Every structure is written in structure tokens, then in C-alpha cells.
Amino acid sequence: MTAFFRKPALLLALVVLAGLAARPAWAQSTVAEGQKLAFDRGKGNCLTCHVIKGGDLPGTIGPELKDLKAKYPDRNELAAILFDETRRNPQTMMPPFGRNRILTEREINAIVDFLQTL
């Protein structure tokens, strides 16, 4: 057994640091995936109703999507809106993306990651 493996605290510290170093790359990839889904006219289709910075031919039915991290500091609230806004607002025109299985939970979380960067 090497000296490296005889020091569990050192091993644990290295594992934690490796995980923290990898997190920004993972976060960037989910943000990019979320943007792709939000702009995809056949999937998230957010641009049909919302103005989003960087999006082409946006709609104006829904509010402009900006400053969402400040508006919704709890990302779970924003995810719930994407999952099924009719729970909060029965009169909404927003499709229940999660309830109707238009988007998976992973896709909704990626879109939330993207929206929180706006």
C-alpha cells in the first residue's frame, strides 16, 4: 500500500478538490444545453412567447426573460413554473412542459440553469 492511500484525509481532500474543479465545466455545459433547448423551436420553444437576449424572432405574449436569478432566487420556484405553471396560475397560457412530458426533469433543470444567467 502506498503512502498516498494510508492518508485518508489527504485522499478525501483530493477527491473534493477534483470535484470542485470539474463543477464549473459541468455547469457551463448545462447552461449551454439549457440555452439550446430554450431556443429550439421544436422542444423548449421559449422564444415563441418570450424575448430572450440572443434569441431570434422572439414573441411578446410572455414577459421578457431577464434578471430571473433576482426574481426567483430559489431555482426550484423557476423549475416549478416550467414544470406546470397552471398550479400557480390556472389562467396561464404557458404550456406545462413537465406535466405534459414535453421536457424531462433534466431538460427543465438545464433551462433553469440557463435562465439564471440572464
Side-chain angles (χ1 to χ4, degrees), residues 4-114:
F4 181 76
F5 288 108
R6 282 186 254 152
K7 303 202 185 269
L10 179 61
L11 179 60
L12 178 61
L14 288 173
V15 168
V16 168
L17 288 173
L20 290 174
R23 186 172 173 102
W26 172 81
Q28 287 176 344
S29 70
T30 61
V31 168
E33 179 188 358
Q35 180 179 17
K36 182 179 175 187
L37 287 163
F39 289 179
D40 184 333
R41 297 288 180 173
K43 192 70 173 172
N45 208 14
C46 303
L47 284 170
T48 296
C49 298
H50 301 279
V51 171
I52 304 173
K53 182 180 177 183
D56 294 329
L57 302 171
T60 57
I61 295 169
E64 181 175 355
L65 300 181
K66 65 179 185 177
D67 302 322
L68 292 179
K69 192 163 189 166
K71 270 186 204 171
Y72 302 102
D74 178 0
R75 73 179 316 283
N76 293 325
E77 185 178 358
L78 191 52
I81 290 169
L82 289 169
F83 187 85
D84 185 3
E85 173 62 353
T86 64
R87 289 181 180 168
R88 251 178 29 143
N89 177 5
Q91 303 302 316
T92 188
M93 294 178 65
M94 185 160 169
F97 289 100
R99 188 188 77 202
N100 286 352
R101 296 185 180 111
I102 298 166
L103 296 170
T104 66
E105 184 176 341
R106 186 181 70 69
E107 290 170 329
I108 288 171
N109 282 316
I111 292 172
V112 169
D113 288 344
F114 165 63

